[in-house]
């Protein structure tokens, strides 16, 4: 009798081990969620059912997912009093396809903007998925979609940046900033970047940064005008927020454009110089995907595939990975991001 109980206990222990292994989890998986209060956001690792793909969806075994600061800003991508699955981008292998999926099949390597990607498996809409170029690692593919698609939108689709033009990026060392720098250099533009770290600016010279300004304050107008021969820049990517907004406007050239992509300073209000806006024929725009329709997201994905993916496949564009964290270490990855210790993308290996 004792022997039978011991054998049963060993079987149960072995099965529990299989259940903890994502390759044998069956209908359950682990996923990171965020519970949002009025002023803070708490992370939680949950056991959740494996989702089933709809007709135009795919189930993807996530191999890597990028971390993005906007996910942690209360009032930004997340609302106070809400709870949501974490992750907005990732890369992995297709496990199962819906009945109407035609471009991919099981085993294909895909990447894209996949809501809930900080999980062992995630649903991906076929229209927003991209084939992973053979030269990219899982970490590079998982950290590419959001920042590079946002930068593509800012610089080319809305920003009209051209070869020989000037781009100013505030907070250039962040993921979106580095992506904007790389894309700008790939098309032959010149780039000025601000950062509070001289070390980061020096490292970004290897990525093609033309002028690095070490500051976190709105005090860079004179240096920008000096670098551009008094003309100002054709496009500004404001990755910092309201505290530098007015200074960004001052730096714009005639018919210049200003893209607002982040507000890490948590300053959501800023004054606008209406006289400059009027006289210099300026354009101010944002790039959030929060309110875009599925059709708009699909169109943006297709434009990115046409314009940028060939540059990625050729090696001219390659994500700059700051650090790789394990799936269980998401809280530590978040801490590194919120401490502004990173240069480029923080990626979670799943």
């Amino acid at each position: 009798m004792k022997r039978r109980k011991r054998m049963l206990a060993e079987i149960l222990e072995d099965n529990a081990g299989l259940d903890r292994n994502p390759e044998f989890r069956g209908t359950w998986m682990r996923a990171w969620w965020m519970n949002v209060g009025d002023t803070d956001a708490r992370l939680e690792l949950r056991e959740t059912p494996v989702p089933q793909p709809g007709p135009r969806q795919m189930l993807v075994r996530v191999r890597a997912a990028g971390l993005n600061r906007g996910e942690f800003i209360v009032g930004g991508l997340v609302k106070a009093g809400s709870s949501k699955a974490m992750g907005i981008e990732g890369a992995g292998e297709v496990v199962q396809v819906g009945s109407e999926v035609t471009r991919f099949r099981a085993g294909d390597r895909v990447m894209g903007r996949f809501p809930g990607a900080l999980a062992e498996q995630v649903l991906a809409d076929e229209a927003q998925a991209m084939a992973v170029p053979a030269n990219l690692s899982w970490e590079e593919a998982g950290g590419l979609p959001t920042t590079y698609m946002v930068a593509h939108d800012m610089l080319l689709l809305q920003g009209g940046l051209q070869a020989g033009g000037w781009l100013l990026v505030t907070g250039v060392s962040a993921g979106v900033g580095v992506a904007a720098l790389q894309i700008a250099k790939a098309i032959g533009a010149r780039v000025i970047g601000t950062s509070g770290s001289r070390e980061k600016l020096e490292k970004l010279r290897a990525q093609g940064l033309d002028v690095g300004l070490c500051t976190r304050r709105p005090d860079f107008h004179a240096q920008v005008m000096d670098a551009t021969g008094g003309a100002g820049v054709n496009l500004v990517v404001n990755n910092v927020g309201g505290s530098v907004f007015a200074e960004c406007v001052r730096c714009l050239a005639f018919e210049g454009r200003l893209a607002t992509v982040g507000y890490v300073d948590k300053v959501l209000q800023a004054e606008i110089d209406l006289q400059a806006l009027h006289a210099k024929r300026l354009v101010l725009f944002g790039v959030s995907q929060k309110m875009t329709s599925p059709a708009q997201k699909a169109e943006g994905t297709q434009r990115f595939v046409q314009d940028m993916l060939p540059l990625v496949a050729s090696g001219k564009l390659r994500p700059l990975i700051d650090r790789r964290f394990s799936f269980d270490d998401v809280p530590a990855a978040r801490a590194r991001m919120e401490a502004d210790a990173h240069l480029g993308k923080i990626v979670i290996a799943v």
Side-chain angles (χ1 to χ4, degrees), residues 294-345:
Q296 288 173 313
K297 290 181 173 68
E299 181 182 0
T301 301
Q302 186 57 36
R303 289 292 303 273
F304 182 84
V305 168
Q306 294 172 354
D307 298 343
M308 296 286 103
L309 217 54
L311 296 178
V312 177
S314 69
K316 291 183 179 179
L317 283 181
R318 199 174 193 101
L320 179 62
I321 304 301
D322 171 77
R323 184 171 296 183
R324 171 186 177 273
F325 287 82
S326 71
F327 187 69
D328 291 328
D329 287 337
V330 170
R334 174 189 182 178
R336 180 170 177 80
M337 174 167 283
E338 293 185 332
D340 293 324
H342 62 299
L343 174 63
K345 289 290 294 191

Side-chain angles (χ1 to χ4, degrees), residues 86-310:
M86 285 192 64
I88 58 178
E89 65 178 345
E93 298 154 337
V94 176
V95 175
Q96 182 182 350
V97 299
S99 59
E100 298 179 18
V101 172
T102 59
R103 294 171 47 229
F104 301 101
R105 61 183 180 180
D108 285 350
R109 296 189 348 137
V110 296
M111 62 184 182
R113 286 170 164 164
F114 304 153
L118 270 177
E120 290 171 338
Q121 299 188 70
V122 69
L123 290 181
D125 290 337
E126 180 186 22
Q128 296 183 47
M130 301 174 283
V132 177
N135 62 325
L136 291 189
S137 66
W138 283 126
E139 288 79 9
E140 290 170 329
L144 181 143
T146 295
T147 51
Y148 284 80
M149 291 178 74
V150 166
H152 172 244
D153 187 352
M154 290 188 296
L155 271 59
L156 302 184
L157 301 187
Q158 295 192 73
L161 188 65
Q162 298 179 0
W166 277 100
L167 169 68
L168 167 64
V169 184
T170 64
V172 70
S173 63
V176 169
V178 173
L181 164 62
Q182 291 179 331
I183 290 177
K185 299 308 296 184
I187 67 172
R190 296 167 289 181
V191 183
I192 302 169
T194 74
S195 171
S197 168
R198 293 188 185 280
E199 181 182 2
K200 291 180 180 180
L201 290 172
E202 284 301 318
K203 289 181 178 179
L204 287 177
R205 291 191 183 280
Q207 300 291 327
L209 183 65
D210 295 284
V211 180
L213 305 178
C214 187
T215 181
R216 288 190 175 94
R217 298 173 56 82
D219 58 0
F220 45 81
H221 170 258
Q223 292 169 286
V224 169
M225 300 306 286
D226 182 62
T228 61
V233 297
N234 306 104
L235 176 65
V236 174
V237 168
N238 184 3
N239 200 33
V240 173
S243 64
V244 300
F245 183 88
E247 189 79 345
C248 290
V249 172
R250 294 181 65 203
C251 293
L252 286 170
F254 177 70
E255 295 187 337
R257 294 172 179 249
L258 193 160
T260 295
V261 65
Y263 25 85
V264 296
D265 61 5
K266 300 181 181 179
V267 179
L268 303 182
Q269 305 291 328
E271 292 186 359
I272 296 179
D273 184 342
L274 292 180
Q275 185 176 26
L277 182 70
H278 175 224
K280 295 167 68 175
R281 298 171 60 92
L282 305 180
V283 175
L284 313 178
F285 64 93
V287 292
S288 172
Q289 294 289 307
K290 189 175 182 179
M291 299 176 67
T292 56
S293 68
Q296 288 173 313
K297 290 181 173 68
E299 181 182 0
T301 301
Q302 186 57 36
R303 289 292 303 273
F304 182 84
V305 168
Q306 294 172 354
D307 298 343
M308 296 286 103
L309 217 54

